[in-house]
Coordinates of all heavy atoms in Angstrom, one line a residue:
Q31 N 71.9 67.5 159.0 CA 70.8 67.1 158.2 C 71.2 65.9 157.3 O 71.8 66.1 156.3 CB 70.2 68.2 157.3 CG 69.0 67.8 156.4 CD 67.8 67.4 157.2 OE1 67.4 68.0 158.0 NE2 67.3 66.2 156.8
W32 N 71.0 64.7 157.8 CA 71.5 63.5 157.1 C 70.5 63.1 156.1 O 69.3 63.3 156.2 CB 71.5 62.4 158.2 CG 72.7 62.5 159.2 CD1 72.6 63.2 160.3 CD2 73.9 61.9 159.1 NE1 73.8 63.1 161.0 CE2 74.6 62.2 160.3 CE3 74.5 61.0 158.2 CZ2 75.9 61.8 160.6 CZ3 75.8 60.6 158.5 CH2 76.5 60.9 159.7
E33 N 71.0 62.4 155.0 CA 70.1 61.9 154.0 C 70.8 60.7 153.4 O 72.0 60.6 153.4 CB 69.9 62.9 152.9 CG 71.0 63.3 152.1 CD 70.7 64.3 151.1 OE1 69.6 65.1 151.2 OE2 71.4 64.5 150.1
Q34 N 70.0 59.8 152.9 CA 70.5 58.6 152.3 C 70.8 58.9 150.9 O 70.0 59.5 150.1 CB 69.5 57.4 152.4 CG 70.1 56.1 151.8 CD 69.1 55.0 152.1 OE1 68.0 55.1 152.7 NE2 69.5 53.7 151.6
T35 N 72.1 58.5 150.5 CA 72.5 58.9 149.1 C 72.7 57.7 148.2 O 72.6 57.9 146.9 CB 73.9 59.6 149.2 OG1 74.8 58.8 149.8 CG2 73.8 60.9 149.9
E36 N 72.7 56.4 148.7 CA 72.7 55.3 147.9 C 72.2 54.1 148.7 O 72.1 54.1 149.9 CB 74.2 54.9 147.5 CG 74.9 55.9 146.6 CD 76.3 55.5 146.2 OE1 76.4 54.3 146.0 OE2 77.2 56.4 146.1
G37 N 71.7 53.1 147.9 CA 71.3 51.9 148.5 C 69.7 51.9 148.6 O 69.0 52.8 148.3
R38 N 69.2 50.7 148.9 CA 67.8 50.5 149.1 C 67.3 51.4 150.2 O 68.0 51.7 151.2 CB 67.5 49.1 149.4 CG 66.1 48.8 149.7 CD 65.8 47.4 150.1 NE 66.7 46.4 150.4 CZ 66.4 45.4 151.2 NH1 65.2 45.0 151.5 NH2 67.5 44.5 151.4
D39 N 66.2 52.0 150.1 CA 65.6 52.9 151.1 C 65.4 52.3 152.5 O 64.9 51.2 152.5 CB 64.3 53.5 150.6 CG 64.4 54.6 149.5 OD1 65.5 55.1 149.3 OD2 63.4 54.9 148.9
V40 N 65.9 53.0 153.4 CA 65.7 52.5 154.9 C 65.2 53.8 155.6 O 65.3 54.9 155.1 CB 66.9 51.9 155.6 CG1 67.4 50.7 154.9 CG2 68.1 53.0 155.5
D41 N 64.5 53.5 156.7 CA 64.0 54.7 157.5 C 65.1 55.2 158.5 O 65.4 54.5 159.5 CB 62.8 54.3 158.4 CG 61.6 54.0 157.4 OD1 61.5 54.7 156.4 OD2 60.8 53.1 157.8
L42 N 65.7 56.2 158.2 CA 66.8 56.9 158.9 C 66.1 57.8 159.9 O 65.4 58.7 159.6 CB 67.7 57.6 158.1 CG 68.9 58.2 158.8 CD1 69.8 57.1 159.3 CD2 69.8 59.1 157.8
A43 N 66.3 57.5 161.2 CA 65.7 58.2 162.3 C 66.7 59.2 162.9 O 68.0 59.0 162.8 CB 65.3 57.3 163.4
A44 N 66.3 60.3 163.6 CA 67.1 61.3 164.2 C 68.0 61.9 163.2 O 69.2 62.2 163.5 CB 67.9 60.6 165.4
V45 N 67.5 62.3 162.1 CA 68.4 62.9 161.1 C 69.0 64.3 161.3 O 69.9 64.7 160.7 CB 67.6 63.0 159.6 CG1 67.3 61.6 159.2 CG2 66.4 63.8 159.8
N46 N 68.5 64.9 162.4 CA 69.0 66.2 162.7 C 69.9 66.1 164.0 O 70.2 67.1 164.7 CB 67.9 67.2 163.0 CG 67.0 67.4 161.8 OD1 67.5 67.6 160.8 ND2 65.7 67.4 162.0
T47 N 70.5 65.0 164.2 CA 71.5 64.7 165.3 C 72.8 64.3 164.9 O 73.0 64.0 163.7 CB 70.9 63.8 166.3 OG1 71.0 62.4 165.7 CG2 69.4 64.1 166.7
T48 N 73.8 64.2 165.8 CA 75.1 63.6 165.4 C 75.0 62.1 165.4 O 76.0 61.6 165.0 CB 76.1 64.1 166.5 OG1 75.7 63.6 167.8 CG2 76.4 65.6 166.4
A49 N 73.9 61.5 165.7 CA 73.9 60.0 165.9 C 72.6 59.5 165.3 O 71.7 58.8 166.0 CB 74.1 59.5 167.3
P50 N 72.3 59.8 164.0 CA 71.1 59.1 163.4 C 71.3 57.6 163.4 O 72.3 57.1 163.4 CB 71.0 59.7 162.0 CG 72.5 60.0 161.7 CD 73.1 60.5 163.0
Y51 N 70.2 56.8 163.2 CA 70.2 55.4 163.2 C 69.2 54.8 162.2 O 68.2 55.5 161.8 CB 70.1 54.9 164.5 CG 68.7 55.1 165.2 CD1 67.6 54.3 165.1 CD2 68.5 56.3 165.9 CE1 66.4 54.6 165.6 CE2 67.3 56.7 166.4 CZ 66.3 55.7 166.3 OH 65.0 56.1 166.8
F52 N 69.4 53.6 161.8 CA 68.5 52.8 161.1 C 68.6 51.4 161.4 O 69.6 51.0 162.0 CB 68.7 53.1 159.6 CG 69.9 52.5 158.9 CD1 69.9 51.3 158.2 CD2 71.1 53.2 159.0 CE1 71.1 50.8 157.7 CE2 72.3 52.7 158.5 CZ 72.2 51.4 157.8
Y53 N 67.7 50.6 160.9 CA 67.8 49.1 161.1 C 68.0 48.5 159.8 O 67.4 48.8 158.8 CB 66.5 48.6 161.7 CG 66.4 49.0 163.1 CD1 65.7 50.2 163.5 CD2 66.9 48.2 164.2 CE1 65.6 50.6 164.8 CE2 66.8 48.6 165.5 CZ 66.1 49.8 165.8 OH 66.0 50.3 167.1
V54 N 69.0 47.6 159.6 CA 69.3 46.8 158.4 C 68.0 46.0 158.1 O 67.6 45.2 159.0 CB 70.5 46.0 158.6 CG1 70.8 45.3 157.2 CG2 71.7 46.9 158.9
P55 N 67.5 46.1 156.9 CA 66.4 45.2 156.5 C 66.6 43.8 156.8 O 67.8 43.3 156.6 CB 66.2 45.5 155.0 CG 66.8 46.8 154.8 CD 67.9 46.9 155.8
V56 N 65.7 43.1 157.3 CA 65.9 41.6 157.7 C 66.2 40.8 156.5 O 66.7 39.7 156.6 CB 64.7 41.0 158.5 CG1 64.5 41.7 159.8 CG2 63.4 41.2 157.7
D57 N 65.8 41.3 155.3 CA 66.1 40.5 154.1 C 67.3 41.0 153.3 O 67.5 40.7 152.1 CB 64.9 40.5 153.1 CG 64.4 41.9 152.6 OD1 64.9 42.8 153.2 OD2 63.6 41.9 151.7
A58 N 68.1 41.8 154.0 CA 69.3 42.4 153.3 C 70.3 41.2 152.9 O 70.4 40.2 153.7 CB 70.0 43.3 154.3
T59 N 71.0 41.4 151.8 CA 71.9 40.4 151.4 C 73.3 40.8 151.8 O 73.7 42.0 152.0 CB 71.9 40.3 149.9 OG1 72.2 41.6 149.3 CG2 70.5 39.9 149.4
H60 N 74.2 39.8 151.9 CA 75.7 40.0 152.2 C 76.2 41.0 151.2 O 76.1 40.8 150.0 CB 76.4 38.7 152.2 CG 77.8 38.8 152.5 ND1 78.3 39.0 153.8 CD2 78.9 38.8 151.7 CE1 79.5 39.2 153.8 NE2 80.0 39.0 152.6
G61 N 76.9 42.0 151.7 CA 77.5 43.0 150.8 C 76.6 44.1 150.4 O 77.1 45.1 149.8
E62 N 75.4 44.1 150.7 CA 74.5 45.2 150.4 C 74.9 46.4 151.2 O 75.3 46.3 152.4 CB 73.0 44.9 150.8 CG 72.0 45.8 150.3 CD 70.6 45.3 150.4 OE1 70.4 44.2 150.9 OE2 69.7 46.1 150.1

Side-chain angles (χ1 to χ4, degrees):
Q31 182 61 52
W32 291 82
E33 64 182 26
Q34 186 171 359
T35 58
E36 290 183 41
R38 177 175 19 154
D39 286 343
V40 294
D41 291 324
L42 186 63
V45 296
N46 297 317
T47 71
T48 60
Y51 62 92
F52 70 98
Y53 291 90
V54 178
V56 294
D57 62 345
T59 58
H60 179 75
E62 187 170 358

